[in-house]
Amino acid sequence: CRQMVSDPPWRQNGEPSPSIWDAKNPSTVTPGRYTHILEGSCPIILSAPHGGNLDLGLPDRRMINTPDRQNVRQLCRETDLNTAQLACAVEAQLRNRGVNATLVVSKVLRSKVDLNRPEGLCSECHQGFEAWHEYHSAIRGGLRRALEEHPQAHLFDLHGQGHREANEVGHVLTNKVLRESCLDDYAGASSCRSLSVCFSLEDMVRGEHSIGTQLERHGFPAVPSQSTPHPCACDPVKGCPCTGYDVCCWNGTGTDPRPCAFFWGGTTIQLYSGGADNLQLPTQEFAGKVSATQLETFAAGRQDNESIAAFGEAVALSILDFMEAFYKYSPVPTPNWETQGSP
């Protein structure tokens, strides 16, 4: 059941709502026509490309999926319900703990522009391409600010899915790879290749301090994790027919008959951190400095204000545990002057 939740921040009198912004926020609001941006400087960047609700008069994306315009198939146009609000909730929880993360949230409907696709496939009009550049420029800006103060940075790309009653944590590792007993041999093909120089990919993806395992410790099922190391439900003897890549999982109806559909990482995390060979490698500017995670959230964590608040806190705490374990990053608590008195 879809319930009403608070409007995204850009819907409230044209200004960010007090729940995600106040005078003590160490970040800076940057108004964008197509993108809601909070500029931070810590090594955490949050992005949400599919939660927008603005039409802006843009034409719908068509049934085209390849640059040569020859491979015609149904595109996914559905909005990831309430992921904009979830991203704002995660940022607020981080900020309350002294972390000024960069937040980049699309305002525009996914049916008009898909910001998790290569630029040439994102839209059918000039405005759509402008939205793509504004959104990704904001991500690059956040990464640059982070790298001015920290040796490494991590991008967390938030999405929504409804085919699995668990949250999917993607690092550009397919179903087949995740069924391996140890992932370390695949570090160079993952979106955590930068971190794998110092840490085990196995630990980062499904170890004690992985995002999936931490989410489960906070009461939200996730895959991969220590308890659920891979998403595949197929018989290993009979083989697995599932590809595990989001655009291949989509069949145009919103459902997928294959039991192992798993969104293991799209354009955004591959663009900035690398990964599979079917998309461009990260820009040289971020090579060896940026890792990334795609979090496909289950609907139960973003149904209403109460669930968004609870799940947003769990995501924030999971991110902080991950960052402390693999980046040695711990936030400085924000002073509460109301209880401590003026300095």
Side-chain angles (χ1 to χ4, degrees), residues 247-260:
V247 294
C248 295
C249 289
W250 179 257
N251 65 2
T253 65
T255 60
D256 196 308
R258 293 169 289 185
C260 309

Side-chain angles (χ1 to χ4, degrees), residues 165-232:
E165 294 184 1
N167 299 286
E168 298 180 347
V169 188
H171 296 99
V172 200
L173 300 170
T174 65
N175 289 337
K176 181 179 179 181
V177 169
L178 288 172
R179 293 188 70 162
E180 297 291 335
S181 59
C182 183
L183 302 177
D184 291 343
D185 290 341
Y186 300 92
S190 78
S191 59
C192 286
R193 59 170 67 182
S194 298
L195 280 177
S196 65
V197 176
C198 300
F199 298 98
S200 163
L201 183 66
E202 179 72 25
D203 291 341
M204 290 185 283
V205 172
R206 54 193 181 195
E208 178 182 0
H209 298 287
S210 67
I211 297 295
T213 298
Q214 287 300 310
L215 283 175
E216 293 202 329
R217 288 184 175 177
H218 293 292
F220 295 92
V223 59
S225 63
Q226 281 187 324
S227 64
T228 311
H230 61 77
C232 194

Side-chain angles (χ1 to χ4, degrees), residues 317-329:
L317 291 173
S318 300
I319 288 175
L320 288 177
D321 185 271
F322 178 89
M323 295 298 293
E324 183 173 4
F326 302 112
Y327 286 85
K328 307 306 178 186
Y329 173 77

Side-chain angles (χ1 to χ4, degrees), residues 7 24 66 69 76 78 121 134 142 157 159 167 176 180 190 196 202 223 260 263 297 300 303 321 337:
D7 282 341
K24 297 178 182 179
T66 56
R69 303 278 170 164
C76 181
E78 283 193 343
L121 305 178
E134 181 180 273
D157 196 35
H159 296 257
N167 299 286
K176 181 179 179 181
E180 297 291 335
S190 78
S196 65
E202 179 72 25
V223 59
C260 309
F263 293 173
T297 61
Q303 288 183 332
D321 185 271
W337 302 120

